[in-house]
Amino acid sequence: MKAAILALAIRIDDGKPTLLDAFSDSHEIRLLESSLSAGVDDPLKSIYDRRVEQTLEDEKFSDYVEELLSSPFVKPEIQEHGVQWLKSKIRIEEFQRKETEAAKIIAKFAFNVFCDDPSRLEMTLAGPSAQVKVKVVVVGSPSVNHHAA
């Protein structure tokens, strides 16, 4: 059984933890780790900036495919590839939506476990057919040691 990874970004103010965000994308988790290691003041900003860049690139390519599909002089083979790409994009977006929903549910549960026992910076949550390794990353609290995902 392959284990997924989820990183919880938490800030602790006056002893009270706040869940800032949860990351299930391995690239985002690595970016968070490297930002924390480099001592970046706002390690989440680089992740959010990357998301904006990725969205803009995706939209630009989608516009290009749409333009190809609407052009009257495009070969049928190219139009078929464009249609297949759009269908794949829809399936990927649906998968990502479901993954995001699942990550939110798991993050909420793991955050509650952390709140009950703040020493639990790593945990494995397992079900009958899935396993998620959760790492808690404390950000924005200079008095707390950072634990990278």
Side-chain angles (χ1 to χ4, degrees), residues 5-9 28-38 43 121-122 133-139 144-149:
I5 297 177
L6 183 66
L8 304 183
E28 290 184 347
I29 293 170
R30 282 195 297 274
L31 186 56
L32 179 61
E33 287 176 317
S34 63
S35 294
L36 286 170
S37 295
L121 296 175
E122 292 190 18
K133 184 175 182 180
V134 179
K135 294 186 175 188
V136 175
V137 180
V138 179
V139 297
V144 178
N145 290 332
H146 294 297
H147 183 77

Side-chain angles (χ1 to χ4, degrees), residues 20-74:
L20 301 174
D21 209 336
F23 304 98
S24 59
D25 180 89
S26 59
H27 297 294
E28 290 184 347
I29 293 170
R30 282 195 297 274
L31 186 56
L32 179 61
E33 287 176 317
S34 63
S35 294
L36 286 170
S37 295
V40 174
D41 287 337
D42 186 0
L44 302 182
K45 184 181 181 318
S46 56
I47 295 171
Y48 299 145
D49 289 347
R50 179 184 174 273
R51 286 180 183 175
V52 168
E53 288 174 17
Q54 187 67 46
T55 299
L56 292 174
E57 288 176 18
D58 290 348
E59 287 174 0
K60 185 176 178 181
F61 189 74
S62 293
D63 291 345
Y64 171 73
V65 171
E66 185 178 323
E67 186 177 313
L68 274 177
L69 290 175
S70 62
S71 176
F73 302 109
V74 174

